[in-house]
Amino acid sequence: MSSYENYTRTSDDYDRTRQAVGIELIKVGLARGNQPLARQVLLDAGCGTGQYSKALLSQVAKIEALDINANMLCHAREKFGQADLIHKISFHESAISTIPLADNTVNGVIINQVLHHLSDSAAHDWRAHRAVFAELARVLRPGGAIVINSCSHLQLERGFWFYHLIPSALRQIKERTCDISMITQLLFDAGFEAPENTAAVDIVMQGDAYFNPAGVIDSEWRSGDSIWALATEEDLQSAIKTVEQLTTTASLSTYFETHDQHRSSIGQLTFTSAIRGA
Ligand SMILES: C[S@@+](CC[C@H](N)C(=O)[O-])C[C@H]1O[C@@H](n2cnc3c(N)ncnc32)[C@H](O)[C@@H]1O
């Protein structure tokens, strides 16, 4: 279960502002594995509403789609209800720390925007991350690739125009987000090799919705980024008030551009790939 977001509540709105992004980068990462993509059995760890599984299903042999939240999984299942490819996907309601698959059963793993939901931090020596990487290494065959989609600390600080409006949430998300250099270290510790990191400068996590700064005052829009669940009520009301005032003075677009200026050079997301050692 996410340690802070109520996905049972936000699952109905999730697809309104989120989409599968970085698919080409994910495919490049998976192709580093020792099986051609078309022959890979893929684990989508923390599949959510199934957007990434949907985007990849026609290109792989099979997908094991796993999520801890029943409502998110329900939306994922609906996406494949009538589809021709339904026989190629299985759903599992489970934690990524206890995956109901035998050892060495998948050829590739994707894990998109999930790790920061673990109850973990540097103060806990990233214990929960270590357990998850060990579990992913257990089910992944030697030579298979893992692709992790996460945000670096710099991307959290500078890649999202509105995060500074909710400083309590920004502080907490950084605490619970394992920065890229530490992810690399933990991957080595879990038996992965040859990690590669790509900061995606032309990809925006919330897609077109991100470019609607007035969205801050809309709870559905806010459901597209779980950082809002970490904001104190005081910070939330202050953020809404700021955006309302900027709208009144017709200066919201300028404000957005000023606070969005670093995104084009640092991006919002980093894709880390690595190979399961023998
Ligand atoms: C931000 S959503 C990402 C969903 C999907 N990967 C995507 O990018 O569209 C995070 C997902 O991780 C799931 N999740 C959080 N902690 C989990 C855990 N310990 N085990 C399995 N799933 C988890 C949540 O239920 C949620 O569906």
Side-chain angles (χ1 to χ4, degrees), residues 1-3 7 14 18-20 44-52 66-69 72 94-97 111-114 116-118 132 149 226:
M1 156 123 24
S2 167
S3 51
Y7 279 111
Y14 191 82
R18 289 290 277 268
Q19 50 195 255
D44 185 353
C47 66
T49 61
Q51 295 186 350
Y52 285 84
L66 177 150
D67 201 281
I68 202 167
N69 185 276
M72 293 296 264
S94 166
I96 50 175
S97 51
I111 178 159
N112 293 290
Q113 293 296 318
V114 177
H116 57 284
H117 289 284
L118 298 171
V132 165
N149 159 358
S226 61

Side-chain angles (χ1 to χ4, degrees), residues 1-12 69 71-72 117 223 226 229:
M1 156 123 24
S2 167
S3 51
Y4 65 95
E5 174 65 294
N6 182 350
Y7 279 111
T8 300
R9 187 176 55 76
T10 60
S11 58
D12 291 343
N69 185 276
N71 282 29
M72 293 296 264
H117 289 284
S223 293
S226 61

Side-chain angles (χ1 to χ4, degrees), residues 124-277:
H124 291 96
D125 192 28
W126 301 111
R127 218 169 19 226
H129 281 68
R130 288 179 192 280
V132 165
F133 287 149
E135 183 66 349
L136 296 176
R138 180 185 69 76
V139 298
L140 182 59
R141 286 179 194 269
I146 182 172
V147 182
I148 299 165
N149 159 358
S150 67
C151 302
S152 70
H153 282 202
L154 181 64
Q155 288 170 329
L156 290 172
E157 282 161 18
R158 299 289 177 90
F160 296 80
W161 75 269
F162 56 90
Y163 281 12
H164 72 282
L165 291 172
I166 40 177
S168 52
L170 179 55
R171 193 185 61 253
Q172 289 180 69
I173 196 75
K174 278 178 60 188
E175 273 172 21
R176 58 174 49 249
T177 295
C178 193
D179 208 0
I180 305 300
S181 57
M182 182 52 72
I183 286 184
T184 303
Q185 183 61 53
L186 297 183
L187 284 171
F188 276 126
D189 292 351
F192 290 92
E193 298 171 350
E196 289 182 3
N197 297 303
T198 304
V201 294
D202 53 354
I203 290 174
V204 177
M205 189 170 78
Q206 271 187 287
D208 292 344
Y210 175 81
F211 298 97
N212 169 26
V216 166
I217 58 180
D218 173 4
S219 65
E220 270 182 24
W221 186 92
R222 295 196 303 271
S223 293
D225 190 332
S226 61
I227 193 168
W228 292 99
L230 292 169
T232 60
E233 185 58 24
E234 192 184 355
D235 278 359
L236 172 61
Q237 292 312 323
S238 161
I240 291 172
K241 196 168 162 199
T242 299
V243 169
E244 284 173 345
Q245 282 170 347
L246 289 164
T247 306
T248 308
T249 55
S251 45
L252 185 56
S253 304
T254 309
Y255 186 90
F256 168 82
E257 281 159 23
T258 304
H259 291 278
D260 191 46
Q261 60 182 309
H262 297 292
R263 180 180 50 78
S264 58
S265 55
I266 61 171
Q268 295 185 335
L269 306 176
T270 299
F271 291 81
T272 302
S273 65
I275 306 299
R276 161 87 153 86

